[in-house]
Amino acid sequence: MARLMFILLFTASLVPLVHGSGAGAAHLCRTYCGNITVDYPFALQSGCGHPSYRDLLFCFNDVLMFHISSGSYRVLTIDYAYRSMTLHDPHLSTCDSIVLGGRGNGFVVEHWRTPYLNPTPDNVFMLLGCSAQSPLFQGFPTSKHMPCRNVSGMGCQEYYGCEGWTSVGLARGGLGYGSGPPVCCGLDFEAIKGVNLSKLECQGYSSAYTLAPLRVSGPSEWRYGIRVKFAVEVSSDSFCKACEATGGSCGHDVERFGTLCICGSWNSTSNCDAIIKLSVGGTSLPVDKLSGLLIASSAFWLTSFRN
């Protein structure tokens, strides 16, 4: 009886240690696309990275693409130290090229991603060729209040001096309001929570950002693109560091979206040190497999005892 009780108690003590999902990953997560490192919280494979960044990045012929509800963008850089990334929209207007016709993507993030992913505060969006009925100009011209402004020293007054305006026949146009709204309206992302060109009734847009303490002389030297900041919860950050420190890859349960540490052929809800080594033909078993083996052994001994 004492022998039986020891087996049952020892087996029961192992059950709470079992970690992982029903289907363990047979590989670690991919960490690059072309020359860009893809690290936590991002990922290129299902189940990898933070669940809030799932189905966000895709790698096509070594080109890293970022996809949200407003469209797809090429990823130029990811800065993990400053938690920011730079995106390129092929129809984004620059100083040399003004793109109208509503061809640009704009920038609209899914509502459930907004706590983690938004353009940086120093990113100016300049909306171009918006109609007088645009939500931007509610009450114009009787109301003098409009959202247009400079952001981090960048705005439409300087942008009007770009050579690209000559190609659309609006050289230095829109310097005054005249009888209609300005041709260009600069603002930060927080002012509108989304750059939806159709909803805002605009023909195009430009986006530029600063990299302090760099100072440039004019719009021809601005950095054009969309600078996005990203973040994760402190608890998820700590979990990932512990996982990677033990040789695992940070991931999540694809059904319940809980955090998982991917450890080769098995997953853990803590880290890859949650494994008990047992000499079985010279191999080591993770605790879930080892626990199953011991439970089976207990059943065998229990049956033998009864017989």
Side-chain angles (χ1 to χ4, degrees), residues 49-286:
H50 191 279
S52 294
Y53 295 88
R54 65 187 183 273
D55 302 324
L56 188 69
L57 296 185
F58 301 88
C59 189
F60 300 103
N61 298 321
D62 288 334
V63 175
L64 188 61
M65 299 298 294
F66 172 100
H67 184 78
I68 53 176
S69 59
S70 55
S72 295
Y73 311 75
R74 180 169 182 169
V75 180
L76 301 181
T77 63
I78 302 179
D79 189 328
Y80 293 96
Y82 290 95
R83 300 209 164 183
S84 63
M85 64 193 310
T86 307
L87 307 176
H88 171 69
D89 179 348
H91 299 299
L92 177 77
S93 292
T94 63
C95 198
D96 296 326
S97 174
I98 304 297
V99 182
L100 301 178
R103 290 180 287 166
N105 285 319
F107 195 83
V108 180
V109 181
E110 294 88 343
H111 179 71
W112 60 272
R113 292 194 201 270
T114 54
Y116 308 99
L117 198 69
N118 274 302
T120 58
D122 62 357
N123 202 128
V124 60
F125 286 92
M126 292 172 287
L127 297 170
L128 312 177
C130 304
S131 76
Q133 288 73 43
S134 169
L136 292 172
F137 309 131
Q138 291 280 334
F140 182 86
T142 56
S143 172
K144 296 299 182 183
H145 176 72
M146 290 199 301
C148 310
R149 63 176 68 92
N150 279 11
V151 179
S152 297
M154 299 177 293
C156 291
Q157 291 300 319
E158 295 80 15
Y159 192 60
Y160 285 137
C162 286
E163 291 296 325
W165 288 103
T166 60
S167 64
V168 293
L170 291 171
R172 301 190 62 81
L175 290 178
Y177 291 164
S179 59
V183 175
C184 172
C185 180
L187 38 74
D188 58 25
F189 190 77
E190 284 299 310
I192 51 176
K193 306 295 186 181
V195 181
N196 185 325
L197 298 185
S198 297
K199 183 177 180 180
L200 296 173
E201 299 184 34
C202 300
Q203 289 294 306
Y205 80 110
S206 182
S207 175
Y209 59 92
T210 59
L211 291 178
L214 183 65
R215 294 291 182 268
V216 296
S217 59
S220 62
E221 297 181 8
W222 289 350
R223 291 179 178 266
Y224 291 92
I226 303 172
R227 190 79 166 169
V228 178
K229 61 181 177 180
F230 58 88
V232 294
E233 308 97 327
V234 174
S235 58
S236 295
D237 234 359
S238 300
F239 169 85
C240 185
K241 289 177 182 178
C243 172
E244 291 181 336
T246 57
S249 289
C250 309
H252 62 273
D253 187 311
V254 295
E255 294 179 355
R256 299 178 179 86
F257 305 124
T259 54
L260 288 177
C261 185
I262 301 173
C263 308
S265 61
W266 67 293
N267 298 339
S268 167
T269 56
S270 56
N271 58 65
C272 294
D273 277 347
I275 183 171
I276 297 177
K277 295 185 178 180
L278 179 70
S279 180
V280 182
T283 63
S284 299
L285 294 177

